[in-house]
Amino acid sequence: MFIVTVLQTLSRPQGFGKRVALACFLILLILRLAIINTPSPTTSVENCIEASGGSFPTECGFVFDEAHYVPAVRKLLRGVSTNHEHPPLSKLLIAGSMLALGDNPVGWRFAPGVLSSAAAAFTPLIAWQLTRRRDITLLATMLIASDVMLFNIGSIAMLDGPALFFLMAGTWFFLRNKHIVAAFLLGLSFLCKTAVLFNVVGLLAYFLLLAYSRRGSLRAAFYDWSPVFEKTVFIMLVVTVAGIAAYDYSFKAFNNPFAHLDFMISYHSQLRYECGEFQLPLRCTVINPDGKTTVDLPLSWISPVSPFSPAPYHLVTVSAGDRVWHPIAYWGIYSPAWWTTALVLGITAYTTVQTRGRNHQHAFVFAWMIFSYGPYFLLAHLLNRYVYTFYFLPTLPALAIGLPLVLSDDKFSRAVVLAVAIIQAAWFFVYFPVKSDTHIALLELLNLPR
C-alpha cells in the first residue's frame, strides 16, 4: 500500500520535484556506493586509533578529516568520549553505521554517503516548492549533483553530510510552513555541526522579509515573525540541550550540557591565525616554526581570478615512464558554478531591495547565501579565525537554485545556465575521485587532468 501511494504521488504533475529528487538521490547514492571501499586500510585497526607523530599512516585508508572522526568514533564504540569540540550526532550516526556494517570503509562512509545523497536530493524539492518551474528545478539539480567538493566531502566519514541533510530537510518543511517539524530537524542539524546556525538565521531572515512584503511595515512584520522565531529557537534549543545532555550522561563527557557547549565555543574561539605574508583579499600566509600555512580567505572560494589551490585530500600517484596519473584523487576543489556567486548575490540582492521582499524566490536565495557565506568574511578578516574552503558547502543549494533563477528571463540567459551546468558535469567527470583504467584512458585521450 505504501509503495502504491508513493508511485501515485510521483506520477502526479505536482510530483515533478519529487521524481527529480528521487532520481538525484539514487544516482548519487549509486556513485558513492561504487567507490565506498576506496581507499581501504591495509593495516590493523589498532594502528589507526591514536596518531603517531600527529598523523596517521596512509595505510589507515583515511581521506582528509576521516583521520579525526573515524578514530573518535572508534573510541566512542569503546565507551571513551573524545572530539568534544564538535557536536555528537554525526559521529553517533557513523558509529551506528559501523556497528551495523563493521569497522571498515563501508561502515565509516555509509551513513554520511546516504545522508549526503539525500541532502542533495532536497535541492530539487526546494526549487520546485519555490518556483514550480521544471527548467529551474532540473538545472538546480544538475548543478548540485555535479559539485565535486560536495560529492567528495559527502562520500567520506565527516560531519558535513548528516548536517546538510537535516538542514535541507528542515528548510523544506520550513518553506511548507511546518515550523515545528522544521525546527526539530534544524536542531538535529545543529547537533551535527554548529555552523548550520548561519543558515538558520538566513531562514528566519527570509521569513521576516516575507512578513514585511505582506504587511508593509516593520512593526507588523515583526508581529507576524516573532511567533515563528520563538518557536524555532525554543525547539532548536531543547533539541540541542537534550541531545548533548543525553550524550554527556551516556559517555560521562561533561557534568552538564552547558559546560559542553561552553567548551565548544571556547575551543573554536581559539582557532585564530596571525598573517605573516599578506595576499589580501584572497589569502594570507601563516608562518609557523615548521613551515608556512596558506589561509584561503572567503573571496578566493568564489573568485575565478586567482582561485584557491585545490587541496589533495587523498592522492594516489602512479607513473610509468613519462605517464603520470591518479587512480584515486579526492580533491578539495571548487566547481565552475562557484564563480557565479557574486552574480547571483548581486541580482537577488537588487531584486529583494527593489521589490521589498515581494519576489519571494529571490529573497530566499539572497537570505540563504548572505547568511551562510557572509559570516565567514567577518570570522576570517575581523576575528582572524581559520576558515576552510569546504565551509562553502551549505551555500551551494541556494547557489544551485539561484543561478537558473536569475538567468531565466530569455533564451540566451537560459543557454548560459545550461552551458555552466554542462561544463560543471564535465568538470565532475574529470575530477571524479576514483577512476577506472577506462576513465583514465579517456581523460588521457582528451588531454585532460588524470
Side-chain angles (χ1 to χ4, degrees), residues 131-324:
T131 68
R132 287 296 192 266
R133 286 183 53 175
R134 295 190 175 207
D135 56 341
I136 292 176
T137 300
L138 285 172
L139 287 166
T141 306
M142 290 176 64
L143 290 170
I144 199 72
S146 59
D147 189 274
V148 177
M149 180 86 83
L150 181 60
F151 183 84
N152 287 349
I153 294 294
S155 299
I156 59 179
M158 285 182 60
L159 311 180
D160 302 76
L164 194 58
F165 166 74
F166 290 117
L167 173 64
M168 296 295 287
T171 300
W172 186 57
F173 279 101
F174 194 92
L175 292 176
R176 298 168 70 206
N177 293 318
K178 297 184 178 181
H179 298 128
I180 293 177
V181 177
F184 177 76
L185 290 166
L186 294 172
L188 293 180
S189 182
F190 187 81
L191 275 176
C192 291
K193 191 166 185 174
T194 54
V196 299
L197 186 61
F198 298 144
N199 296 81
V200 176
V201 174
L203 274 178
L204 292 172
Y206 164 69
F207 193 80
L208 180 60
L209 283 170
L210 288 188
Y212 179 73
S213 70
R214 287 194 308 268
R215 302 298 296 271
S217 77
L218 203 54
R219 176 177 293 183
F222 270 107
Y223 182 81
D224 286 353
W225 174 78
S226 57
V228 175
F229 170 79
E230 292 163 4
K231 190 185 304 179
T232 302
V233 172
F234 176 75
I235 294 173
M236 283 188 65
L237 187 61
V238 169
V239 171
T240 299
V241 172
I244 293 178
Y247 174 84
D248 289 339
Y249 177 79
S250 300
F251 291 94
K252 298 179 173 56
F254 288 85
N255 291 330
N256 62 75
F258 300 103
H260 194 160
L261 287 167
D262 180 65
F263 175 83
M264 286 193 285
I265 294 170
S266 299
Y267 175 87
H268 289 285
S269 66
Q270 297 170 12
L271 298 178
R272 299 190 178 190
Y273 64 87
E274 292 185 11
C275 203
E277 297 176 1
F278 293 89
Q279 302 169 51
L280 298 176
L282 297 176
R283 60 189 59 84
C284 76
T285 301
V286 179
I287 301 174
N288 302 310
D290 55 348
K292 297 181 179 181
T293 302
T294 298
V295 179
D296 294 305
L297 299 173
L299 189 59
S300 74
W301 307 351
I302 67 168
S303 173
V305 179
S306 188
F308 64 89
S309 298
Y313 289 162
H314 187 97
L315 200 62
V316 174
T317 303
V318 179
S319 62
D322 294 334
R323 295 180 62 234
V324 179

Side-chain angles (χ1 to χ4, degrees), residues 198-199 298-299 301-302 341 345 366-382 387 391-392 394-395:
F198 298 144
N199 296 81
L299 189 59
W301 307 351
I302 67 168
T341 301
L345 260 177
F366 172 69
W368 182 291
M369 291 183 68
I370 200 67
F371 282 101
S372 65
Y373 174 53
Y376 291 112
F377 281 89
L378 302 178
L379 290 174
H381 292 279
L382 294 183
V387 293
Y391 288 0
F392 192 63
T395 306

Side-chain angles (χ1 to χ4, degrees), residues 335-358:
S335 289
W338 292 32
W339 299 331
T340 67
T341 301
L343 173 69
V344 174
L345 260 177
I347 293 176
T348 55
Y350 174 79
T351 306
T352 301
V353 172
Q354 185 187 47
T355 64
R356 296 188 176 185
R358 286 189 294 274

